Amino acid sequence: MPLTLAAAGEEKYIKQVGGRTETRQFLEKLGFVAGTMVTVISEINGNVIVQIKDSRIAISKEMACKIMV
């Protein structure tokens, strides 16, 4: 399921990162790689705020749809 469907506070493992090559590389640089745990903190104005590793990151809903958990 895409990251956008995860409930706030749920811890999920990333299974796959999709999208174009540039998109995948961008997300990998932010830490979104298969096997990494990610927690959805909240969703505000179409952006998804997530906790990954020791960082909180806001990504667009479009980007979050490309991350499968």
Side-chain angles (χ1 to χ4, degrees):
M1 79 175 179
L3 184 60
T4 54
L5 295 180
E10 260 187 334
E11 293 183 338
K12 296 283 188 180
Y13 282 98
I14 297 173
K15 294 181 181 174
Q16 179 183 356
V17 178
R20 297 190 335 237
T21 303
E22 300 86 26
T23 305
R24 283 195 317 269
Q25 288 175 344
F26 174 74
L27 290 170
E28 286 174 3
K29 287 180 183 177
L30 291 176
F32 294 93
V33 292
T36 304
M37 184 177 287
V38 62
T39 306
V40 175
I41 302 298
S42 65
E43 187 176 333
I44 302 172
N45 297 331
N47 293 322
V48 180
I49 300 172
V50 298
Q51 175 87 32
I52 187 160
K53 299 185 180 179
D54 292 330
S55 302
R56 284 190 178 191
I57 299 173
I59 57 174
S60 69
K61 204 168 199 173
E62 289 177 339
M63 290 266 192
C65 284
K66 295 176 182 359
I67 302 168
M68 297 294 153
V69 293

